Short mmCIF file of all heavy atoms in Angstrom, two decimals:
data_model
loop_
_atom_site.label_atom_id
_atom_site.label_comp_id
_atom_site.label_asym_id
_atom_site.label_seq_id
_atom_site.Cartn_x
_atom_site.Cartn_y
_atom_site.Cartn_z
N MET B 1 80.40 95.13 90.30
CA MET B 1 80.75 96.46 89.85
C MET B 1 80.21 96.66 88.43
O MET B 1 80.37 95.80 87.59
CB MET B 1 82.24 96.66 89.86
CG MET B 1 82.88 96.55 91.22
SD MET B 1 84.51 97.24 91.25
CE MET B 1 84.14 98.95 91.39
N THR B 2 79.64 97.80 88.21
CA THR B 2 79.14 98.11 86.88
C THR B 2 80.03 99.16 86.23
O THR B 2 80.62 100.00 86.90
CB THR B 2 77.69 98.65 86.95
OG1 THR B 2 77.70 99.85 87.73
CG2 THR B 2 76.76 97.63 87.57
N ARG B 3 80.09 99.10 84.94
CA ARG B 3 80.89 100.06 84.18
C ARG B 3 80.07 101.33 83.97
O ARG B 3 78.87 101.26 83.77
CB ARG B 3 81.27 99.47 82.83
CG ARG B 3 82.12 98.21 82.98
CD ARG B 3 82.43 97.63 81.65
NE ARG B 3 83.52 98.40 81.06
CZ ARG B 3 84.00 98.19 79.85
NH1 ARG B 3 83.47 97.27 79.08
NH2 ARG B 3 84.99 98.90 79.40
N PRO B 4 80.74 102.47 83.98
CA PRO B 4 80.01 103.71 83.69
C PRO B 4 79.58 103.72 82.23
O PRO B 4 80.19 103.07 81.39
CB PRO B 4 81.01 104.82 83.98
CG PRO B 4 82.33 104.17 83.95
CD PRO B 4 82.13 102.73 84.28
N PRO B 5 78.53 104.44 81.93
CA PRO B 5 78.09 104.50 80.54
C PRO B 5 79.17 105.08 79.64
O PRO B 5 80.03 105.85 80.08
CB PRO B 5 76.86 105.41 80.58
CG PRO B 5 76.64 105.80 81.99
CD PRO B 5 77.70 105.20 82.82
N ALA B 6 79.13 104.71 78.38
CA ALA B 6 80.15 105.15 77.43
C ALA B 6 80.16 106.66 77.28
O ALA B 6 81.21 107.25 76.99
CB ALA B 6 79.92 104.48 76.08
N SER B 7 79.05 107.31 77.47
CA SER B 7 79.01 108.76 77.31
C SER B 7 79.80 109.47 78.41
O SER B 7 80.26 110.59 78.22
CB SER B 7 77.56 109.25 77.32
OG SER B 7 76.95 108.95 78.56
N CYS B 8 80.00 108.83 79.54
CA CYS B 8 80.75 109.45 80.64
C CYS B 8 82.26 109.37 80.41
O CYS B 8 83.00 110.20 80.91
CB CYS B 8 80.42 108.78 81.96
SG CYS B 8 78.75 109.10 82.52
N THR B 9 82.72 108.37 79.72
CA THR B 9 84.16 108.19 79.53
C THR B 9 84.64 108.71 78.19
O THR B 9 85.82 108.65 77.90
CB THR B 9 84.51 106.69 79.63
OG1 THR B 9 83.81 105.98 78.61
CG2 THR B 9 84.16 106.14 80.99
N ARG B 10 83.77 109.22 77.39
CA ARG B 10 84.14 109.69 76.06
C ARG B 10 84.94 111.00 76.17
O ARG B 10 84.57 111.90 76.90
CB ARG B 10 82.88 109.93 75.26
CG ARG B 10 83.14 110.17 73.82
CD ARG B 10 81.85 110.18 73.08
NE ARG B 10 81.94 109.13 72.08
CZ ARG B 10 80.97 108.75 71.32
NH1 ARG B 10 79.78 109.26 71.48
NH2 ARG B 10 81.15 107.84 70.42
N GLY B 11 86.07 111.09 75.45
CA GLY B 11 86.86 112.30 75.41
C GLY B 11 87.98 112.37 76.43
O GLY B 11 88.79 113.28 76.40
N GLN B 12 88.06 111.44 77.34
CA GLN B 12 89.10 111.49 78.36
C GLN B 12 90.47 111.23 77.76
O GLN B 12 91.44 111.89 78.13
CB GLN B 12 88.82 110.49 79.47
CG GLN B 12 89.87 110.52 80.56
CD GLN B 12 89.58 109.53 81.67
OE1 GLN B 12 88.52 108.92 81.69
NE2 GLN B 12 90.51 109.39 82.58
N ALA B 13 90.56 110.30 76.82
CA ALA B 13 91.84 109.98 76.21
C ALA B 13 92.39 111.19 75.44
O ALA B 13 93.59 111.45 75.45
CB ALA B 13 91.72 108.78 75.29
N LEU B 14 91.52 111.93 74.77
CA LEU B 14 91.95 113.11 74.03
C LEU B 14 92.57 114.13 74.97
O LEU B 14 93.62 114.71 74.67
CB LEU B 14 90.76 113.73 73.29
CG LEU B 14 91.06 115.00 72.51
CD1 LEU B 14 92.06 114.72 71.40
CD2 LEU B 14 89.79 115.59 71.96
N THR B 15 91.98 114.33 76.11
CA THR B 15 92.52 115.27 77.10
C THR B 15 93.88 114.81 77.60
O THR B 15 94.81 115.62 77.73
CB THR B 15 91.54 115.41 78.28
OG1 THR B 15 90.27 115.78 77.79
CG2 THR B 15 92.03 116.44 79.26
N GLU B 16 94.02 113.53 77.86
CA GLU B 16 95.30 113.00 78.33
C GLU B 16 96.37 113.15 77.26
O GLU B 16 97.52 113.49 77.56
CB GLU B 16 95.14 111.54 78.73
CG GLU B 16 94.28 111.37 79.97
CD GLU B 16 94.00 109.91 80.27
OE1 GLU B 16 94.45 109.03 79.51
OE2 GLU B 16 93.31 109.65 81.27
N TYR B 17 96.03 112.89 76.00
CA TYR B 17 97.00 113.06 74.92
C TYR B 17 97.41 114.52 74.78
O TYR B 17 98.59 114.82 74.57
CB TYR B 17 96.43 112.56 73.58
CG TYR B 17 96.37 111.06 73.47
CD1 TYR B 17 95.21 110.42 73.03
CD2 TYR B 17 97.46 110.27 73.77
CE1 TYR B 17 95.14 109.05 72.92
CE2 TYR B 17 97.41 108.90 73.67
CZ TYR B 17 96.24 108.29 73.23
OH TYR B 17 96.19 106.94 73.13
N LEU B 18 96.47 115.43 74.88
CA LEU B 18 96.80 116.85 74.76
C LEU B 18 97.71 117.31 75.89
O LEU B 18 98.64 118.09 75.66
CB LEU B 18 95.52 117.68 74.73
CG LEU B 18 94.69 117.58 73.46
CD1 LEU B 18 93.41 118.38 73.61
CD2 LEU B 18 95.49 118.05 72.27
N VAL B 19 97.48 116.85 77.09
CA VAL B 19 98.34 117.22 78.22
C VAL B 19 99.74 116.65 78.01
O VAL B 19 100.75 117.35 78.22
CB VAL B 19 97.73 116.74 79.55
CG1 VAL B 19 98.73 116.87 80.68
CG2 VAL B 19 96.46 117.51 79.87
N ALA B 20 99.84 115.41 77.57
CA ALA B 20 101.15 114.80 77.33
C ALA B 20 101.90 115.53 76.22
O ALA B 20 103.10 115.78 76.32
CB ALA B 20 100.99 113.32 76.99
N LEU B 21 101.20 115.89 75.15
CA LEU B 21 101.84 116.62 74.06
C LEU B 21 102.26 118.02 74.48
O LEU B 21 103.31 118.52 74.06
CB LEU B 21 100.90 116.70 72.85
CG LEU B 21 100.74 115.39 72.08
CD1 LEU B 21 99.69 115.57 70.99
CD2 LEU B 21 102.05 114.94 71.48
N LEU B 22 101.48 118.65 75.33
CA LEU B 22 101.84 119.97 75.83
C LEU B 22 103.12 119.91 76.67
O LEU B 22 104.02 120.74 76.51
CB LEU B 22 100.70 120.55 76.66
CG LEU B 22 100.94 121.90 77.31
CD1 LEU B 22 101.11 122.97 76.25
CD2 LEU B 22 99.82 122.24 78.25
N VAL B 23 103.21 118.91 77.52
CA VAL B 23 104.42 118.75 78.35
C VAL B 23 105.62 118.46 77.47
O VAL B 23 106.70 119.03 77.66
CB VAL B 23 104.20 117.64 79.40
CG1 VAL B 23 105.51 117.27 80.08
CG2 VAL B 23 103.17 118.07 80.42
N LEU B 24 105.45 117.60 76.47
CA LEU B 24 106.55 117.27 75.57
C LEU B 24 106.98 118.50 74.77
O LEU B 24 108.18 118.75 74.61
CB LEU B 24 106.12 116.15 74.62
CG LEU B 24 107.18 115.65 73.64
CD1 LEU B 24 108.35 115.03 74.40
CD2 LEU B 24 106.56 114.64 72.70
N ALA B 25 106.02 119.28 74.29
CA ALA B 25 106.36 120.49 73.54
C ALA B 25 107.10 121.49 74.42
O ALA B 25 108.03 122.16 73.96
CB ALA B 25 105.08 121.12 72.98
N MET B 26 106.71 121.58 75.67
CA MET B 26 107.41 122.50 76.57
C MET B 26 108.83 122.02 76.85
O MET B 26 109.75 122.84 76.93
CB MET B 26 106.62 122.64 77.87
CG MET B 26 105.36 123.45 77.71
SD MET B 26 104.36 123.55 79.19
CE MET B 26 105.49 124.28 80.35
N LEU B 27 109.03 120.71 76.98
CA LEU B 27 110.37 120.20 77.22
C LEU B 27 111.27 120.40 76.01
O LEU B 27 112.45 120.70 76.15
CB LEU B 27 110.31 118.71 77.58
CG LEU B 27 109.77 118.38 78.96
CD1 LEU B 27 109.64 116.87 79.13
CD2 LEU B 27 110.66 118.95 80.03
N ILE B 28 110.71 120.23 74.82
CA ILE B 28 111.51 120.38 73.61
C ILE B 28 111.71 121.86 73.26
O ILE B 28 112.79 122.29 72.90
CB ILE B 28 110.85 119.64 72.43
CG1 ILE B 28 110.96 118.13 72.65
CG2 ILE B 28 111.50 120.00 71.11
CD1 ILE B 28 110.23 117.31 71.62
N GLY B 29 110.65 122.64 73.38
CA GLY B 29 110.68 124.02 72.92
C GLY B 29 111.41 124.98 73.82
O GLY B 29 112.01 125.93 73.36
N PHE B 30 111.36 124.76 75.09
CA PHE B 30 111.97 125.70 76.04
C PHE B 30 113.16 125.04 76.70
O PHE B 30 113.07 123.94 77.22
CB PHE B 30 110.97 126.11 77.13
CG PHE B 30 109.69 126.68 76.58
CD1 PHE B 30 108.49 126.08 76.85
CD2 PHE B 30 109.71 127.80 75.78
CE1 PHE B 30 107.31 126.60 76.35
CE2 PHE B 30 108.54 128.32 75.27
CZ PHE B 30 107.34 127.72 75.56
N GLY B 31 114.31 125.76 76.69
CA GLY B 31 115.48 125.24 77.36
C GLY B 31 115.44 125.54 78.84
O GLY B 31 114.64 126.35 79.33
N ARG B 32 116.28 124.90 79.58
CA ARG B 32 116.38 125.21 81.01
C ARG B 32 117.08 126.56 81.17
O ARG B 32 117.57 127.14 80.21
CB ARG B 32 117.17 124.12 81.71
CG ARG B 32 116.44 122.80 81.70
CD ARG B 32 117.16 121.80 82.60
NE ARG B 32 116.54 120.51 82.49
CZ ARG B 32 117.14 119.43 82.04
NH1 ARG B 32 118.39 119.48 81.68
NH2 ARG B 32 116.49 118.30 81.96
N ALA B 33 117.18 127.03 82.36
CA ALA B 33 117.80 128.33 82.63
C ALA B 33 119.25 128.31 82.15
O ALA B 33 120.05 127.50 82.59
CB ALA B 33 117.73 128.65 84.10
N GLY B 34 119.56 129.19 81.22
CA GLY B 34 120.93 129.27 80.71
C GLY B 34 121.20 128.40 79.50
O GLY B 34 122.15 128.63 78.79
N ASP B 35 120.38 127.41 79.25
CA ASP B 35 120.56 126.53 78.10
C ASP B 35 119.75 127.07 76.93
O ASP B 35 118.73 127.72 77.10
CB ASP B 35 120.09 125.11 78.40
CG ASP B 35 120.95 124.42 79.44
OD1 ASP B 35 122.08 124.88 79.64
OD2 ASP B 35 120.49 123.43 80.03
N SER B 36 120.21 126.78 75.72
CA SER B 36 119.40 127.12 74.56
C SER B 36 118.42 125.99 74.31
O SER B 36 118.67 124.84 74.63
CB SER B 36 120.28 127.36 73.33
OG SER B 36 121.00 126.19 73.01
N SER B 37 117.30 126.31 73.72
CA SER B 37 116.27 125.30 73.49
C SER B 37 116.71 124.35 72.38
O SER B 37 117.60 124.65 71.58
CB SER B 37 114.95 125.96 73.11
OG SER B 37 115.05 126.55 71.84
N VAL B 38 116.08 123.20 72.33
CA VAL B 38 116.39 122.20 71.33
C VAL B 38 116.05 122.73 69.94
O VAL B 38 116.78 122.50 68.98
CB VAL B 38 115.62 120.89 71.63
CG1 VAL B 38 115.82 119.87 70.53
CG2 VAL B 38 116.05 120.33 72.96
N VAL B 39 114.95 123.46 69.84
CA VAL B 39 114.55 124.02 68.55
C VAL B 39 115.59 125.03 68.06
O VAL B 39 115.96 125.03 66.89
CB VAL B 39 113.15 124.66 68.66
CG1 VAL B 39 112.77 125.37 67.38
CG2 VAL B 39 112.11 123.63 69.02
N ASN B 40 116.07 125.86 68.96
CA ASN B 40 117.09 126.85 68.59
C ASN B 40 118.37 126.16 68.15
O ASN B 40 119.01 126.58 67.18
CB ASN B 40 117.36 127.80 69.75
CG ASN B 40 118.20 128.98 69.34
OD1 ASN B 40 118.25 129.33 68.17
ND2 ASN B 40 118.85 129.60 70.31
N THR B 41 118.78 125.12 68.83
CA THR B 41 119.98 124.37 68.46
C THR B 41 119.81 123.72 67.10
O THR B 41 120.73 123.74 66.27
CB THR B 41 120.28 123.29 69.52
OG1 THR B 41 120.40 123.93 70.80
CG2 THR B 41 121.55 122.55 69.20
N LEU B 42 118.63 123.16 66.83
CA LEU B 42 118.36 122.53 65.54
C LEU B 42 118.40 123.56 64.42
O LEU B 42 119.00 123.33 63.36
CB LEU B 42 117.01 121.83 65.58
CG LEU B 42 116.55 121.17 64.28
CD1 LEU B 42 117.48 120.03 63.90
CD2 LEU B 42 115.13 120.68 64.41
N LEU B 43 117.77 124.71 64.63
CA LEU B 43 117.78 125.75 63.60
C LEU B 43 119.17 126.29 63.35
O LEU B 43 119.54 126.58 62.21
CB LEU B 43 116.82 126.88 64.00
CG LEU B 43 115.34 126.53 63.96
CD1 LEU B 43 114.51 127.70 64.46
CD2 LEU B 43 114.90 126.11 62.58
N THR B 44 119.98 126.42 64.38
CA THR B 44 121.37 126.87 64.22
C THR B 44 122.17 125.85 63.41
O THR B 44 122.96 126.22 62.54
CB THR B 44 122.02 127.10 65.59
OG1 THR B 44 121.23 128.05 66.31
CG2 THR B 44 123.44 127.60 65.45
N ALA B 45 121.95 124.57 63.68
CA ALA B 45 122.66 123.51 62.94
C ALA B 45 122.25 123.51 61.47
O ALA B 45 123.10 123.35 60.58
CB ALA B 45 122.38 122.16 63.56
N ILE B 46 120.98 123.71 61.19
CA ILE B 46 120.51 123.76 59.79
C ILE B 46 121.10 124.98 59.09
O ILE B 46 121.54 124.89 57.94
CB ILE B 46 118.97 123.76 59.74
CG1 ILE B 46 118.43 122.41 60.19
CG2 ILE B 46 118.46 124.11 58.35
CD1 ILE B 46 116.93 122.37 60.37
N HIS B 47 121.13 126.10 59.78
CA HIS B 47 121.70 127.32 59.20
C HIS B 47 123.18 127.13 58.88
O HIS B 47 123.65 127.51 57.79
CB HIS B 47 121.49 128.47 60.17
CG HIS B 47 122.03 129.78 59.71
ND1 HIS B 47 121.64 130.37 58.54
CD2 HIS B 47 122.93 130.62 60.26
CE1 HIS B 47 122.28 131.52 58.39
NE2 HIS B 47 123.07 131.69 59.43
N THR B 48 123.92 126.53 59.79
CA THR B 48 125.35 126.29 59.57
C THR B 48 125.57 125.34 58.40
O THR B 48 126.44 125.57 57.55
CB THR B 48 126.00 125.73 60.85
OG1 THR B 48 125.77 126.64 61.92
CG2 THR B 48 127.48 125.50 60.67
N ALA B 49 124.79 124.27 58.35
CA ALA B 49 124.93 123.30 57.27
C ALA B 49 124.61 123.94 55.92
O ALA B 49 125.30 123.68 54.92
CB ALA B 49 124.02 122.10 57.52
N PHE B 50 123.57 124.77 55.86
CA PHE B 50 123.22 125.43 54.61
C PHE B 50 124.33 126.38 54.17
O PHE B 50 124.67 126.45 52.98
CB PHE B 50 121.90 126.19 54.76
CG PHE B 50 121.47 126.87 53.49
CD1 PHE B 50 120.91 126.14 52.46
CD2 PHE B 50 121.64 128.23 53.32
CE1 PHE B 50 120.52 126.75 51.29
CE2 PHE B 50 121.26 128.85 52.15
CZ PHE B 50 120.69 128.11 51.12
N ASN B 51 124.91 127.12 55.10
CA ASN B 51 126.00 128.03 54.76
C ASN B 51 127.22 127.27 54.24
O ASN B 51 127.86 127.70 53.27
CB ASN B 51 126.39 128.89 55.96
CG ASN B 51 125.41 130.00 56.22
OD1 ASN B 51 124.64 130.37 55.35
ND2 ASN B 51 125.42 130.51 57.44
N ARG B 52 127.54 126.15 54.86
CA ARG B 52 128.69 125.36 54.40
C ARG B 52 128.43 124.75 53.03
O ARG B 52 129.32 124.72 52.17
CB ARG B 52 129.01 124.26 55.41
CG ARG B 52 129.62 124.81 56.68
CD ARG B 52 129.96 123.71 57.66
NE ARG B 52 130.52 124.28 58.88
CZ ARG B 52 130.86 123.56 59.93
NH1 ARG B 52 130.68 122.24 59.92
NH2 ARG B 52 131.37 124.15 60.98
N LEU B 53 127.22 124.27 52.80
CA LEU B 53 126.87 123.70 51.49
C LEU B 53 126.91 124.78 50.43
O LEU B 53 127.43 124.55 49.33
CB LEU B 53 125.48 123.06 51.55
CG LEU B 53 124.96 122.48 50.24
CD1 LEU B 53 125.82 121.31 49.81
CD2 LEU B 53 123.51 122.05 50.38
N SER B 54 126.39 125.94 50.74
CA SER B 54 126.39 127.04 49.78
C SER B 54 127.81 127.47 49.44
O SER B 54 128.13 127.73 48.29
CB SER B 54 125.61 128.22 50.36
OG SER B 54 125.64 129.31 49.49
N ALA B 55 128.68 127.52 50.44
CA ALA B 55 130.08 127.88 50.20
C ALA B 55 130.78 126.82 49.36
O ALA B 55 131.58 127.14 48.47
CB ALA B 55 130.80 128.07 51.52
N PHE B 56 130.47 125.55 49.59
CA PHE B 56 131.09 124.48 48.82
C PHE B 56 130.64 124.50 47.38
O PHE B 56 131.44 124.32 46.45
CB PHE B 56 130.75 123.13 49.46
CG PHE B 56 131.28 121.95 48.70
CD1 PHE B 56 132.64 121.65 48.73
CD2 PHE B 56 130.44 121.16 47.93
CE1 PHE B 56 133.13 120.57 48.01
CE2 PHE B 56 130.93 120.09 47.22
CZ PHE B 56 132.28 119.79 47.26
N ILE B 57 129.35 124.75 47.15
CA ILE B 57 128.83 124.77 45.79
C ILE B 57 129.40 125.96 45.00
O ILE B 57 129.63 125.86 43.80
CB ILE B 57 127.29 124.81 45.80
CG1 ILE B 57 126.75 123.46 46.29
CG2 ILE B 57 126.71 125.15 44.45
CD1 ILE B 57 125.27 123.43 46.50
N SER B 58 129.66 127.06 45.66
CA SER B 58 130.14 128.25 44.97
C SER B 58 131.65 128.22 44.69
O SER B 58 132.15 129.16 44.08
CB SER B 58 129.78 129.50 45.76
OG SER B 58 130.48 129.52 46.98
N LEU B 59 132.35 127.18 45.11
CA LEU B 59 133.78 127.09 44.81
C LEU B 59 133.99 126.91 43.33
O LEU B 59 133.23 126.20 42.66
CB LEU B 59 134.40 125.91 45.57
CG LEU B 59 134.55 126.05 47.08
CD1 LEU B 59 135.06 124.75 47.67
CD2 LEU B 59 135.48 127.20 47.43
N PRO B 60 135.05 127.52 42.79
CA PRO B 60 135.31 127.35 41.34
C PRO B 60 135.83 125.94 41.06
O PRO B 60 136.43 125.30 41.92
CB PRO B 60 136.36 128.41 41.03
CG PRO B 60 137.03 128.67 42.35
CD PRO B 60 136.00 128.44 43.40
N LEU B 61 135.59 125.50 39.84
CA LEU B 61 136.07 124.18 39.45
C LEU B 61 137.51 124.33 39.07
O LEU B 61 138.40 123.80 39.06
CB LEU B 61 135.27 123.63 38.27
CG LEU B 61 133.81 123.37 38.59
CD1 LEU B 61 133.09 122.97 37.31
CD2 LEU B 61 133.68 122.26 39.62
#
């Protein structure tokens, strides 16, 4: 058996990585039916934490 020339196999790994990253981004970015997405949950948690920190800092001494 002979190996195919290097020019024939060049770029295949990049395509596979892009497909895997696309699937991962879709799983993380979009929630299932009725569920909120992971990104939305993360942003809501950051917003809540910032509001609580801001309220704590503004308390009088």
Side-chain angles (χ1 to χ4, degrees):
M1 298 196 80
T2 61
R3 299 177 79 183
S7 62
C8 291
T9 60
R10 190 171 239 174
Q12 181 179 353
L14 178 63
T15 305
E16 292 173 359
Y17 286 132
L18 289 176
V19 169
L21 287 175
L22 178 65
V23 169
L24 183 63
M26 287 176 59
L27 287 175
I28 290 175
F30 305 120
R32 294 189 185 118
D35 293 341
S36 61
S37 69
V38 174
V39 174
N40 191 23
T41 304
L42 178 65
L43 291 176
T44 303
I46 291 172
H47 180 58
T48 303
F50 182 77
N51 284 341
R52 288 181 181 177
L53 177 65
S54 177
F56 177 74
I57 290 174
S58 66
L59 289 175
L61 295 174

